[in-house]
């Protein structure tokens, strides 16, 4: 669900809603040409470039630009998406690039299931990343991100990047659309400050390119939470 053209709906994921979400996202990805060189998000590259590689989890991997960027830098990445089409395409692409041993792509409806941590003695992930994890379908996003924070090893980071403005090409042009600030998102996770600390919560701007090639200045809401200790 790594896409700039959707908004978040919070709620309880029931069976029919989950089916609708899978069907919808499968259709969206199936209608797109197969990506052969998906690019990473700039907020990922600026945040992670200087970190030592370890075990990463990407929530809403989409076409896989972030996952492949991490894998090329030595990270072992578990990439998840609600779309089986996206997962199958990423698996095939990673193998074709010689990255199959570093990328495990899995289909999950995050409202119903969550990927397991790596089978290593220390358990957990060193990085969990969620870029534009928005959907028009029911999803308790705060619960998903809270679980992601708990999936970190001590020293690991949760990177959440959300929309802070409406792009001209977004399907949702509601002038009253509200974008929670990064600090509001952090507060909604209700994490124990003795075990997690907010390292970054800001709203940088950048020039984005829409599906038709047009460009516009948009705002990102960037949140980085570091796990400092076991809960």
């Amino acid at each position: 669900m790594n896409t700039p053209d959707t908004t978040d709906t919070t709620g309880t994921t029931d069976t029919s809603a989950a089916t609708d979400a899978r069907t919808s996202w499968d259709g969206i990805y199936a209608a797109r040409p197969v990506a052969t060189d998906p690019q990473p998000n700039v907020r990922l590259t600026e945040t992670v470039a200087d970190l030592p590689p370890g075990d990463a989890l990407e929530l809403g991997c989409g076409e896989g630009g972030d996952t492949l960027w991490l894998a090329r830098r030595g990270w072992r990445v578990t990439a998840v998406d609600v779309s089986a089409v996206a997962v199958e395409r990423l698996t095939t692409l990673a193998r074709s690039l010689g990255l199959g041993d570093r990328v495990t792509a899995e289909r999950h409806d995050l409202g119903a299931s969550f990927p397991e941590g790596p089978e290593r003695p220390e358990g957990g992930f060193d990085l969990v990343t969620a870029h534009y994890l928005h959907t028009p379908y029911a999803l308790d996003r705060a619960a998903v991100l809270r679980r992601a924070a708990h999936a970190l090893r001590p020293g690991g980071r949760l990177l959440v990047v959300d929309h802070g403005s409406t792009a001209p090409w977004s399907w949702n042009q509601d002038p009253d659309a509200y974008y929670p600030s990064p600090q509001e998102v952090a507060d909604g996770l209700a994490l124990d400050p003795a075990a997690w600390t907010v390292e970054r919560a800001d709203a940088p701007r950048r020039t984005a390119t829409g599906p038709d090639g047009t460009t516009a200045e948009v705002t990102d809401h960037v949140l980085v939470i570091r796990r400092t200790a076991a809960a």
Side-chain angles (χ1 to χ4, degrees):
M1 294 185 292
N2 188 341
T3 171
D5 296 321
T6 54
T7 55
D8 174 52
T9 302
T10 300
T12 301
T13 303
D14 59 28
T15 302
S16 60
T19 300
D20 288 345
R22 290 194 296 269
T23 301
S24 176
W25 285 105
D26 278 345
I28 288 170
Y29 285 110
R32 297 178 182 176
V34 176
T36 58
D37 187 26
Q39 296 301 299
N41 284 293
V42 64
R43 304 306 173 203
L44 175 75
T45 60
E46 70 184 17
T47 302
V48 178
D50 294 331
L51 297 180
D55 292 299
L57 168 63
E58 183 182 6
L59 304 178
C61 62
E63 294 175 330
D66 288 355
T67 286
L68 296 173
W69 184 88
L70 288 166
R72 287 186 175 107
R73 282 153 182 79
W75 290 81
R76 297 172 295 272
V77 189
T78 300
V80 305
D81 202 279
V82 71
S83 168
V85 174
V87 166
E88 290 171 6
R89 286 183 175 183
L90 176 54
T91 298
T92 300
L93 181 56
R95 289 173 179 168
S96 73
L97 295 171
L99 299 171
D101 60 333
R102 296 184 190 168
V103 173
T104 301
E106 301 176 359
R107 197 202 69 76
H108 285 273
D109 179 338
L110 292 170
S113 64
F114 198 86
E116 297 293 329
E119 294 182 3
R120 298 168 64 84
E122 64 271 35
F125 295 96
D126 301 290
L127 173 71
V128 180
T129 176
H131 276 71
Y132 313 112
L133 187 66
H134 307 300
T135 175
Y137 297 95
L139 176 69
D140 189 342
R141 205 178 78 118
V144 172
L145 296 178
R146 189 178 305 111
R147 188 166 183 178
H150 280 272
L152 293 170
R153 295 173 183 149
R157 291 171 172 84
L158 170 64
L159 169 63
V160 181
V161 182
D162 293 331
H163 299 301
S165 64
T166 302
W169 50 82
S170 174
W171 67 268
N172 181 9
Q173 293 295 322
D174 181 358
D176 297 321
Y178 179 70
Y179 300 97
S181 71
Q183 190 58 56
E184 287 176 304
V185 173
D187 292 344
L189 303 188
L191 297 171
D192 183 353
W196 289 269
T197 185
V198 174
E199 287 192 331
R200 178 178 179 184
D202 60 3
R205 298 185 66 81
R206 62 182 171 88
T207 300
T209 303
D212 62 355
T214 60
T215 61
E217 189 175 52
V218 299
T219 299
D220 289 323
H221 283 173
V222 183
L223 173 66
V224 178
I225 296 176
R226 184 170 181 263
R227 186 167 192 172
T228 56

